[in-house]
Amino acid sequence: GESVGLHLPTLSVQEGDNSIINCAYSNSASDYFIWYKQESGKGPQFIIDIRSNMDKRQGQRVTVLLNKTVKHLSLQIAATQPGDSAVYFCARLGGGTSYGKLTFGQGTILTVHP
Amino acid sequence: GAVVSQHPSRVICKSGTSVKIECRSLDFQATTMFWYRQFPKQSLMLMATSNEGSKATYEQGVEKDKFLINHASLTLSTLTVTSAHPEDSSFYICSASGYNEQFFGPGTRLTVL
């Protein structure tokens, strides 16, 4: 069945370091992926998205890489700051009968130490 | 920007009672809203899709008679947890579709005693 999962459930980094959060997916029909940040007790916030016709997309301090060959995507955060501490989820936006539905991955807890 | 609100943010109720949670899109109209449930240290799980003016569609394993959804207008969807039990204690999050994106509410923490 469809699933979107994460390799690393927790990640601790020092302030200023770069962070890499990984995600694997099992459904090759996926064509739109989104990364969300969720702070404690809050709803998810959109960070960045990528479509399957792209390998890389950059935002402010964040980069998403998509490797369709191995069905893997990653979120890179440059110069990580304490305010980046949160849970990060990858999600896939469904199509067809699942149009508009988001399937979330397991989540990675990112802790940034000052 | 697009803002989605939820009310209440926290609710504590006794077992057997019903609780209503509201989800509002404040500055845009949302034909479709989604309801998610999130248990501690777990991911978001889609419960149902709420469509304005029609019946909600529920994901497999979600009881439609227990989780009543009403989407009476383009800016409001409600989720009613009927006959709540302690195992229904969770973080309930809604999202609204607009501008080709889903915008999430801040969540409602439900605790059933």
Side-chain angles (χ1 to χ4, degrees):
Chain A
E2 298 180 0
S3 69
V4 184
L6 292 174
H7 293 307
L8 300 174
T10 61
L11 177 64
S12 292
V13 299
Q14 290 296 125
E15 182 178 2
D17 287 351
N18 297 331
S19 301
I20 299 176
I21 300 171
N22 298 300
C23 184
Y25 61 94
S26 60
N27 187 334
S28 61
S30 305
D31 64 356
Y32 185 43
F33 299 90
I34 308 167
W35 280 100
Y36 289 95
K37 173 186 180 183
Q38 186 181 28
E39 296 176 314
S40 180
K42 298 183 179 180
Q45 292 176 275
F46 173 92
I47 300 174
I48 193 168
D49 59 359
I50 189 167
R51 293 193 180 277
S52 61
N53 59 354
M54 304 173 70
D55 297 322
K56 179 179 179 179
R57 191 156 189 233
Q58 286 185 293
Q60 187 177 20
R61 285 201 306 118
V62 295
T63 301
V64 55
L65 299 177
L66 177 61
N67 186 329
K68 294 179 285 296
T69 301
V70 295
K71 299 180 183 177
H72 179 273
L73 69 159
S74 65
L75 176 70
Q76 300 178 3
I77 305 174
T80 317
Q81 304 167 358
D84 295 328
S85 294
V87 181
Y88 289 81
F89 294 96
C90 63
R92 182 189 76 82
L93 189 65
T97 56
S98 297
Y99 180 77
K101 295 182 180 180
L102 284 170
T103 301
F104 281 82
Q106 180 184 1
T108 292
I109 301 171
L110 175 65
T111 303
V112 183
H113 301 283
Chain B
V3 178
V4 176
S5 70
Q6 283 184 241
H7 179 80
S9 58
R10 289 177 176 272
V11 56
I12 300 172
C13 69
K14 292 182 179 180
S15 185
T17 61
S18 295
V19 174
K20 180 186 284 188
I21 303 170
E22 294 185 349
C23 177
R24 294 181 185 271
S25 55
L26 298 185
D27 48 5
F28 67 102
Q29 293 183 331
T31 306
T32 303
M33 292 184 174
F34 300 89
W35 287 97
Y36 297 83
R37 180 167 52 183
Q38 185 178 32
F39 292 107
K41 298 191 185 303
Q42 293 189 23
S43 188
L44 283 76
M45 295 298 294
L46 179 65
M47 298 175 66
T49 303
S50 172
N51 299 295
E52 187 270 335
S54 64
K55 290 182 179 180
T57 55
Y58 292 80
E59 296 301 301
Q60 192 172 12
V62 179
E63 299 176 55
K64 62 180 176 65
D65 294 329
K66 180 168 181 64
F67 299 99
L68 302 179
I69 291 173
N70 185 296
H71 194 154
S73 76
L74 288 171
T75 59
L76 172 64
S77 175
T78 61
L79 169 68
T80 301
V81 182
T82 63
S83 186
H85 291 285
E87 57 265 32
D88 297 324
S89 297
S90 188
F91 194 49
Y92 291 86
I93 306 171
C94 73
S95 70
S97 285
Y99 310 112
N100 294 318
E101 190 176 330
Q102 275 193 41
F103 299 94
F104 285 84
T108 296
R109 175 76 59 193
L110 170 63
T111 303
V112 185
L113 302 177

